[in-house]
């Protein structure tokens, strides 16, 4: 179900599988860093950047919810931000 999601703020899943009893996912590469690293490196962003990031995360979660998917592990390490500050 997650692999079918198509949204600009959701990382595309290329493949899901299992090898030697270990499950794996092959994800789209994001040229950037996770939100925790971004904040550690740059410090707190200004209000406009903060609102933009929160909005993008909310739009991604809304799309997932519309498809019946609940993320269950929202945390800064799971929010990827590229060099243009796009989630």
């Amino acid at each position: 179900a997650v692999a079918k999601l198509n949204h600009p703020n959701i990382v595309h899943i290329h493949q899901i599988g299992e090898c030697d009893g270990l499950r794996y996912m092959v994800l789209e590469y994001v040229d950037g860093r996770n939100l925790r690293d971004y904040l550690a490196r740059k410090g707190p962003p200004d209000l406009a950047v903060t609102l933009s990031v929160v909005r993008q995360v909310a739009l991604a979660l809304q799309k997932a919810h519309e498809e019946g998917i609940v993320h269950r592990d929202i945390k800064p390490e799971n929010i990827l931000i590229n060099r243009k500050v796009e989630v």
Side-chain angles (χ1 to χ4, degrees):
V2 176
K4 292 188 226 172
L5 287 177
N6 184 14
H7 189 272
N9 302 114
I10 297 176
V11 173
H12 182 72
I13 298 175
H14 296 292
Q15 184 179 3
I16 297 175
E18 185 175 335
C19 182
D20 297 329
L22 296 174
R23 296 181 181 161
Y24 66 87
M25 290 192 308
V26 180
L27 305 174
E28 167 189 2
Y29 174 74
V30 176
D31 188 13
R33 58 184 30 114
N34 68 47
L35 182 57
R36 180 168 307 283
D37 292 343
Y38 176 88
L39 294 172
R41 183 175 186 153
K42 298 204 175 237
D46 64 27
L47 181 59
V49 171
T50 300
L51 292 175
S52 174
V53 168
V54 170
R55 181 177 185 277
Q56 292 175 72
V57 171
L59 289 171
L61 292 171
Q62 178 183 14
K63 176 63 175 177
H65 176 74
E66 289 170 357
E67 299 296 326
I69 297 169
V70 177
H71 190 290
R72 298 190 311 171
D73 195 23
I74 303 301
K75 59 186 176 187
E77 293 83 357
N78 289 339
I79 298 172
L80 303 177
I81 300 179
N82 69 18
R83 294 176 186 207
K84 296 179 185 177
V85 193
E86 297 167 334
V87 173

